[in-house]
Amino acid sequence: SKPTRYVNLANLYYKQENYEKALEHFVHALELDPYNVEYLSTIADLSEQLSDIDRLMKTLKKLLDIDPYNYEVKRRLDKIQK
């Protein structure tokens, strides 16, 4: 199964402001494409929107593992850890 299917559904839920469902579908997409920075960034944004700080931190750390020089991600992570 292709991640695109999940992403399309996720975007649909996002447009309806159903962020929980959107997040759920982006997580499914990520399972099929674990290093997709776009999915990870969106999961981080949705996690923040839903105040899921644990998932937000985990996702930001994974983004940093992939791209250690991403200063925007570092800044967001520092802000949360303070």
Side-chain angles (χ1 to χ4, degrees):
S1 139
K2 291 196 168 73
T4 328
R5 203 176 86 218
Y6 291 113
V7 173
N8 290 340
L9 279 169
N11 286 326
L12 199 65
Y13 283 119
Y14 188 85
K15 282 182 187 128
Q16 296 170 350
E17 295 180 20
N18 187 339
Y19 302 124
E20 288 92 352
K21 277 284 189 198
L23 178 61
E24 188 182 308
H25 283 80
F26 271 111
V27 167
H28 285 308
L30 187 69
E31 287 167 0
L32 298 171
D33 188 359
Y35 297 99
N36 188 306
V37 172
E38 191 183 324
Y39 301 167
L40 284 163
S41 297
T42 306
I43 289 169
D45 294 343
L46 285 167
S47 299
E48 192 165 24
Q49 180 101 24
L50 296 166
S51 302
D52 185 344
I53 303 308
D54 286 344
R55 187 189 299 268
L56 174 59
M57 283 182 66
K58 237 185 280 178
T59 306
L60 291 174
K61 285 176 183 171
K62 186 161 184 188
L63 276 165
L64 264 188
D65 286 344
I66 295 169
D67 180 8
Y69 300 102
N70 187 325
Y71 291 105
E72 174 60 23
V73 172
K74 276 186 183 172
R75 190 190 61 72
R76 283 177 79 181
L77 202 51
D78 287 345
K79 209 168 92 180
I80 298 164
Q81 289 175 333
K82 282 183 178 154

